Amino acid sequence: MKLSVIGCGYLGAVHASAMAELGHEVIGIDVDPGKIEQLQAGRPPFFEPGLPEVLMSARESGRLRFSTNIADAADATVHFVAVGTPQSRDGHAADLRYVDAAIDALLPHLKAGDLVVGKSTVPVGTAQRLADRIDASGSGARLAWNPEFLREGYAVKDTVEPDRLVYGVGDVRDVTVLDEVYTSAIASGTPRIVTNFPTAELVKVAANAFLATKISFINAMAEIAEVTGADVTRLADAIGHDARIGRRFLNAGVGFGGGCLPKDIRAFAARAEELGRGESVAFLKEVDAINLRRRQRVVELAQEALDGAVYGKKVAVLGVTFKPHSDDVRDSPALDVAVQLKGLGADVVVTDPEGIDNARLRHPQLLYSNVTDEALRHADLVVLVTEWPEYVALDPAHVKEIARASTIIDGRNCLDADRWKAAGWRYVGMGRT
C-alpha cells in the first residue's frame, strides 16, 4: 500500500520505518528540515534500539522516503497522523495545535477513498471533531483512529509485532483498509478490537492511567514501608503472585516519567473535568502527586546521607533518562533529582549512556561525563536513578576504590543490596530494608 506518515518524531519515524520494512511504500512528512535530512540519510534523530537498522533497510529498499512538503503525501491512500500532543503551557490539557495543523495541511491533498488514521494520543471527542472537518471538506476521505502502544526501547518490535490492534472507525469499510495495512500482524494472530471513536481514544489514556496508578500504588506502599520497617520489594513479590494483580509495574522507586504517562494522565483528568466527570478520575491527581513525591524523597535521602551538608559535596548521579534504552529526558525523574541537588549546592556530575546531549540542552548548569568512572571518582555520594544494565552490574568493590562515598542511594531498587553491603557500602533503597 502507499502510506504517508505525518509527523516524524518518535512515533512517526518508527511507524514509517516499520511499515516500509513490512513492504508498504511510505512517505514520511515533517516540518523540521533538520529531522528530515537526518532520516533521509538513514540516521534516526533520537536513540531507539533497532531503529537504525530498520530505517536503513527500508531506505535502501526504496520503499521509504521523507519530505518537508505535505503535497508529497498526495499519492498515498492511507495517511497516518503521528504528531505530538504535549501538555499545554498554561494548564494540564493536551495541546492539539499540531494535530489540527496536520489535518489542515493534509486536507487539500486528500481524495475520495483516502483514509486518515490518527495515532496521536488525544482527548476523547477529538476524533469526531476531526472526522466532521474532513467530511465537510468534500474530499470524500474518511477518518479512523488507531492508537499506538509503543514502549520506548522496544518500539520497533511493538510496531511490527503489536500485542493488540485497536480500530476506531465510523465506516465498516475502513476495517478492511486497516487490515491490509496490518496484514502481517493480523496473520500472526494479533488480537484486533474494532470499536467507535470515543472508545479508541480512551483505550490509550485508560491504559496509561492504569499503569501510572499501579506504579504509584507500589510507591505509596514504599512510603508506608519506610516508616514501618517493611520491605516493599518483598511485598510486591508477595502480592504479585496473585494473578489478579500481577508483578509487572510493581517496582517501587523514583517513579515514572517520559513524554507519555505524566502528560497523558494530566490531560485525561483535565478532559474529564471538561466533560463534567472530574470526580471519576480525581484519583489521578493523587497518582501524580505520589509520583512527584518520590523524586523529592530521593533528594531528602541524599540530604540525610550527607548529614544535611550538601553544599560543595560531589554527588554522582547515575542516569539521566526517564528509563533505560532511551535518550528521552522529558519529565525525567533522574534529571529532576539531579537539578534539585544542584539547586541545594551540590557539585552534581551526571552520567548516562545515551541521554547526556538531550539533558545538557535542558540543563547546561549540570556537569556531565560520558565515562562512569569519572563521574564516580571522589564522589561523596552515589545516586542511581536510571536502571541502565551497566549501572546494575557495577562492581561495588571497584566503585569503593574510586569514590569517597560510603553510601549509595538506589532510586530504582535494582541493585543487589546484600552485595553492596558486603562490599562495605551503606545501601539505601526506596522502601527496602
Side-chain angles (χ1 to χ4, degrees):
M1 301 182 73
K2 290 188 176 182
L3 315 178
S4 77
V5 178
I6 315 303
C8 293
Y10 183 84
L11 167 60
V14 172
H15 191 70
S17 301
M19 290 298 102
E21 187 72 354
L22 290 173
H24 299 299
E25 185 178 331
V26 184
I27 175 75
I29 307 291
D30 200 281
V31 297
D32 184 341
K35 186 184 298 181
I36 292 301
E37 183 178 351
Q38 283 185 273
L39 290 167
Q40 277 283 76
R43 300 192 310 272
F46 52 85
F47 175 74
E48 175 62 32
L51 180 58
E53 294 81 3
V54 172
L55 173 61
M56 185 59 73
S57 173
R59 288 284 299 122
E60 291 176 349
S61 73
R63 292 190 299 269
L64 177 64
R65 60 194 179 95
F66 296 92
S67 173
T68 57
N69 187 358
I70 191 70
D72 288 339
D75 288 340
T77 56
V78 179
H79 308 271
F80 287 96
V81 176
V83 297
T85 53
Q87 185 175 319
S88 297
R89 294 180 180 179
D90 57 354
H92 287 168
D95 184 347
L96 297 178
R97 76 178 79 176
Y98 304 110
V99 172
D100 288 328
I103 296 297
D104 288 342
L106 191 57
L107 280 177
H109 307 287
L110 295 177
K111 55 191 178 297
D114 279 7
L115 184 64
V116 179
V117 184
K119 293 201 73 68
S120 304
T121 304
V122 296
V124 63
T126 304
Q128 188 59 60
R129 177 173 63 81
L130 298 178
D132 292 342
R133 186 187 301 178
I134 292 171
D135 186 56
S137 72
S139 63
R142 299 185 303 276
L143 180 86
W145 214 262
N146 171 221
E148 55 86 14
F149 303 101
L150 305 187
R151 300 166 296 164
E152 291 196 32
Y154 305 91
V156 174
K157 181 180 185 300
D158 288 346
T159 304
V160 176
E161 302 173 6
D163 57 10
R164 78 278 209 192
L165 292 166
V166 176
Y167 302 166
V169 298
D171 189 314
V172 70
R173 291 176 293 176
D174 300 334
V175 174
T176 302
V177 176
L178 289 169
D179 279 352
E180 189 174 352
V181 172
Y182 295 114
T183 297
S184 176
I186 295 292
S188 67
T190 299
R192 185 196 66 178
I193 296 92
V194 179
T195 185
N196 58 14
F197 290 153
T199 306
E201 291 167 310
L202 281 172
V203 166
K204 176 60 186 294
V205 293
N208 279 354
F210 187 86
L211 296 176
T213 300
K214 195 170 183 181
I215 295 168
S216 281
F217 170 81
I218 200 62
N219 278 330
M221 295 304 99
E223 292 180 334
I224 301 299
E226 287 174 357
V227 297
T228 61
D231 188 318
V232 74
T233 300
R234 305 305 292 169
L235 172 68
D237 289 342
I239 66 175
H241 281 293
D242 188 326
R244 297 168 300 176
I245 297 173
R247 186 60 177 82
R248 296 188 66 191
F249 283 84
L250 279 182
N251 295 315
V254 71
F256 57 81
C260 291
L261 258 63
K263 63 99 174 173
D264 284 354
I265 65 170
R266 293 165 191 158
F268 192 10
R271 181 57 177 150
E273 290 177 356
E274 292 172 355
L275 294 169
R277 288 292 182 269
E279 68 277 8
S280 299
V281 293
F283 68 92
L284 290 179
K285 294 181 180 180
E286 184 57 27
V287 166
D288 197 15
I290 292 169
N291 189 56
L292 295 176
R293 282 205 304 269
R294 300 316 285 163
R295 305 178 185 191
Q296 184 60 40
R297 181 58 181 154
V298 174
V299 176
E300 292 170 357
L301 290 172
Q303 291 176 286
E304 293 171 9
L306 295 170
D307 296 322
V310 178
Y311 188 83
K313 296 294 179 66
K314 180 179 178 181
V315 179
V317 175
L318 305 182
V320 73
T321 54
F322 87 97
K323 65 179 292 187
H325 310 297
S326 170
D327 64 355
D328 195 344
V329 299
R330 290 175 295 174
D331 209 345
S332 168
L335 184 55
D336 193 2
V337 166
V339 170
Q340 288 192 55
L341 289 172
K342 176 66 175 178
L344 292 172
D347 292 332
V348 177
V349 181
V350 176
T351 186
D352 191 280
E354 296 293 341
I356 287 178
D357 290 344
N358 287 338
R360 185 181 281 118
L361 289 173
R362 291 173 181 252
H363 292 286
Q365 75 273 26
L366 299 175
L367 296 175
Y368 297 93
S369 175
N370 289 303
V371 181
T372 303
D373 276 8
E374 288 182 3
L376 291 167
R377 195 171 307 281
H378 306 309
D380 297 294
L381 178 66
V382 180
V383 183
L384 188 157
V385 272
T386 308
E387 65 276 34
W388 284 95
E390 45 264 71
Y391 301 151
V392 177
L394 279 171
D395 180 357
H398 171 69
V399 179
K400 189 76 172 175
E401 291 176 356
I402 62 176
R404 282 194 293 262
S406 59
T407 300
I408 183 166
I409 297 173
D410 181 3
R412 291 292 181 180
N413 286 352
C414 59
L415 298 176
D416 183 334
D418 292 337
R419 182 166 174 252
W420 282 81
K421 291 174 183 177
W425 287 84
R426 176 176 174 250
Y427 171 90
V428 180
M430 306 290 286
R432 294 181 74 181
T433 55

